[in-house]
Amino acid sequence: MPALRAVVFDFFGTLTRPVHRGPEHLETAQILGCDPRVMIALLDASYYRRASGDLGSAEDNLRWIAARAGADPSDEAVRAALECRLRAVRHDTELRDEAVPVLWALRLRGLRTAVVSDCTHELPALLPSLPIAPLLDTAVFSVEERVCKPDPSIYLAACQRLGVAPEECLYVGDGGSHELTGAAGVGMTPVRLAAPDLADHLVFAADEGWSGRAVDGLVGVLDEVDHGQHAPVPGRMGG
């Protein structure tokens, strides 16, 4: 295996604590004139369509949800609901305590770093304000790429932006969206974050039964990297 040059992270549940929908989501439903239970069910059912950009802009997403929940919000209500939903996702997004220290440690080791996330429009708006942003070389968002994991192109987009081969990347994720299987399929070395707190994490299409490498915390990624950096590179001469 070539020596590692980059680490690619999933975002939700990996660099963040487990995600649970907070009370702001209920407020979003009320602004739109929707039954909150219906809206949550529609959010779940439409996740991959929204995360792949299939339903258009953030405004289009909310109008699509509202229409199917039997509501017809005004333009003003949609704008207010957008602001509320962004607050909701921000409140749901709490970085793990280890996220910043681990990313710093990777940069000190000379490794490049990236996020690859299945997400809707809120994360691209939110990420630049987070303390991890200056520690990432790039971020690849499904809603902008218009494709979700485990499609090979989303991983390869990260590799291209990082200037590395897939075989030179460690991929770290909690296993949602069959992301570990997808990473392995393009030649990355996948590692599952099997943190105990992920038992009740909001996740879709999990890599059930993953039997590959795993760590129980982000700090364990540094051990994986230190091992990988000492792997010989085929055909490379010393000196």
Side-chain angles (χ1 to χ4, degrees), residues 16 18 22 34 46 56 58 84 88 91 103 114 116 119 123 140 154 156 174 198 211 216 219 228:
T16 79
C34 302
S46 65
C84 186
H91 290 166
L103 287 169
V116 173
C119 62
L123 183 58
V140 181
I154 199 166
L156 297 177
D174 64 280
L198 289 170
S211 59
D216 61 8
V219 174

Side-chain angles (χ1 to χ4, degrees), residues 21 39-48 50 65 202 204:
R21 287 200 178 103
M39 190 189 85
I40 294 300
L42 287 165
L43 286 172
D44 288 347
S46 65
Y47 176 70
Y48 283 110
R50 292 183 294 112
I65 293 287
L202 177 65
F204 298 93

Side-chain angles (χ1 to χ4, degrees), residues 76-181:
E76 182 180 1
V78 171
R79 287 192 294 270
L82 277 174
E83 294 177 3
C84 186
R85 177 160 169 78
L86 185 59
R87 290 196 303 271
V89 175
R90 182 181 291 113
H91 290 166
D92 293 347
T93 303
E94 184 181 357
L95 291 176
R96 293 186 179 276
D97 292 342
E98 321 94 281
V100 167
V102 166
L103 287 169
W104 265 117
L106 293 172
R107 293 182 78 85
L108 290 172
R109 285 164 168 78
L111 293 171
R112 297 178 68 75
T113 56
V115 156
V116 173
S117 179
D118 280 355
C119 62
T120 50
H121 294 278
E122 293 77 20
L123 183 58
L126 172 64
L127 185 61
S129 67
L130 299 180
I132 61 169
L135 303 174
L136 296 169
D137 292 294
T138 193
V140 181
F141 304 116
S142 65
V143 72
E144 295 179 349
E145 298 297 312
R146 300 187 63 82
V147 66
C148 292
K149 306 171 203 175
D151 190 288
S153 65
I154 199 166
Y155 304 96
L156 297 177
C159 291
Q160 182 179 28
R161 296 183 197 180
L162 291 170
V164 299
E167 294 78 13
E168 297 171 316
C169 292
L170 195 72
Y171 181 88
V172 184
D174 64 280
S177 299
H178 300 293
E179 63 185 348
L180 303 169
T181 303

Side-chain angles (χ1 to χ4, degrees), residues 1 4 10 22 33 37 46 51 57 71 83 129-130 193 201 206 213:
M1 180 182 77
L4 292 173
D10 170 49
R37 293 168 299 178
S46 65
S57 68
E83 294 177 3
S129 67
L130 299 180
L193 179 67
H201 171 55
R213 296 157 75 166

